[in-house]
Amino acid sequence: RMQLRGREELLVTISHADARRPGAAGSPRMRGDVAPLDLTDADAAPSWSPTVAPAPGLRGRPPPLDDSEWGRPLEEGEDGADRAPASPCERERLALGEHEVVFLVGSYMHYRCPHVWVRAGHTRLARAGEAEESSASARRDVPLRLQSLSRWSTAPEDGQRLEVHLWAVLAELVQRFAHPLVRNPFEVELDAVAALPTRERAEASASLALFLREVYLGSDELADCVEADYLALLQIHYMALPGLVATPAAPSAPPGLQLDALA
């Protein structure tokens, strides 16, 4: 889940539980756990299925991530390691779940580039054999080294600035730190969308499809992950449109014809 704070900060909460099973208490609801639609409801969406299926093995394939150095705090003396968020994480008052980690995506004007910090749940990210909790606490407000943000400082050959999309940063955070493994960072609960009332279903499916289209066109690595959901959302959207069109009333006869009939 996400929370936008002002114009410069976005809080992102990610589940980080190493030993949980689908369906366990507090675990994210998987698509298979969603109750099937009651098609006897007149306002419920008709059954749907993607008309174009992706090739076997493509759907949900996570992009390859280099785990050698990425996803860790910047080392002391490294460029940007001294850039702290607007307020220390100790001042943050968050209702943190048992298996949750909160990240702060900040785009402060005085830094002139975006950064991501771990805001809460630092010790849950510690890998086996890494620094002790006391050492981790001393470096809590150090930005993370992320591949998605490395493009910001990369000088392109044509002299134009490379685009850094927020969705690319969110995708990397989910794929690096979410446990159990999330194969598709933008997977949509299609059953939940299809169960919305007609107008909400049309609006939600259209906005989600527009977002997935941007991801599909902007990322070769994520295109295979979002393709099936994108096609299914388009189908849900176009199946909802007839329910929004009012049935036109039968045209009435011109007044002259009515008088002739009475005569």
Side-chain angles (χ1 to χ4, degrees):
R1 63 180 183 272
M2 295 180 290
Q3 176 188 354
L4 184 63
R5 300 199 304 192
R7 301 175 59 184
E8 298 180 324
E9 294 185 339
L10 177 69
L11 288 179
V12 181
T13 303
I14 294 177
S15 175
H16 186 86
D18 293 325
R20 288 193 300 165
R21 299 177 181 177
S27 64
R29 186 174 64 176
M30 307 301 290
R31 178 171 302 174
D33 298 329
V34 180
L37 292 176
D38 181 7
L39 299 180
T40 60
D41 184 356
D43 195 40
S47 60
W48 52 265
S49 60
T51 56
V52 180
L58 289 183
R59 171 161 170 73
R61 183 181 63 186
L65 295 177
D66 180 7
D67 293 330
S68 58
E69 296 296 336
W70 303 106
R72 301 186 181 187
L74 297 173
E75 298 294 338
E76 186 175 356
E78 192 173 354
D79 183 31
D82 58 343
R83 295 177 178 177
S87 62
C89 62
E90 285 78 6
R91 298 182 183 178
E92 195 72 65
R93 296 294 181 265
L94 298 172
L96 198 63
E98 181 182 1
H99 300 289
E100 292 180 341
V101 178
V102 180
F103 298 88
L104 171 63
V105 182
S107 183
Y108 302 116
M109 183 175 296
H110 57 281
Y111 288 154
R112 303 183 67 84
C113 66
H115 290 290
V116 176
W117 297 267
V118 180
R119 198 62 175 170
H122 299 74
T123 56
R124 296 170 189 167
L125 295 180
R127 301 178 182 177
E130 281 195 352
E132 297 294 334
E133 180 177 352
S134 58
S135 176
S137 300
R139 307 184 67 242
R140 285 189 170 185
D141 289 323
V142 177
L144 297 176
R145 183 188 293 107
L146 298 177
Q147 283 180 288
S148 54
L149 292 180
S150 65
R151 294 167 53 90
W152 187 272
S153 58
T154 302
E157 297 179 358
D158 57 5
Q160 297 182 0
R161 178 184 294 274
L162 293 175
E163 291 185 352
V164 177
H165 298 283
L166 176 59
W167 53 258
V169 179
L170 298 178
E172 182 174 359
L173 290 177
V174 171
Q175 290 175 323
R176 287 195 182 280
F177 301 111
H179 289 282
L181 174 66
V182 176
R183 302 183 62 83
N184 177 4
F186 298 121
E187 183 174 357
V188 180
E189 288 191 2
L190 297 171
D191 295 298
V193 177
L196 293 172
T198 304
R199 181 172 297 276
E200 295 180 21
R201 182 166 70 247
E203 294 174 350
S205 57
S207 59
L208 288 170
L210 182 63
F211 169 72
L212 293 187
R213 178 180 182 273
E214 180 180 347
V215 176
Y216 182 88
L217 296 177
S219 172
D220 293 336
E221 295 83 5
L222 291 172
D224 292 335
C225 294
V226 303
E227 179 182 9
D229 281 352
Y230 170 65
L231 296 175
L233 286 168
L234 289 179
Q235 186 171 357
I236 293 174
H237 176 71
Y238 286 111
M239 292 177 69
L241 291 182
L244 300 178
V245 179
T247 303
S252 58
L257 294 179
Q258 293 179 356
L259 292 176
D260 293 342
L262 292 176

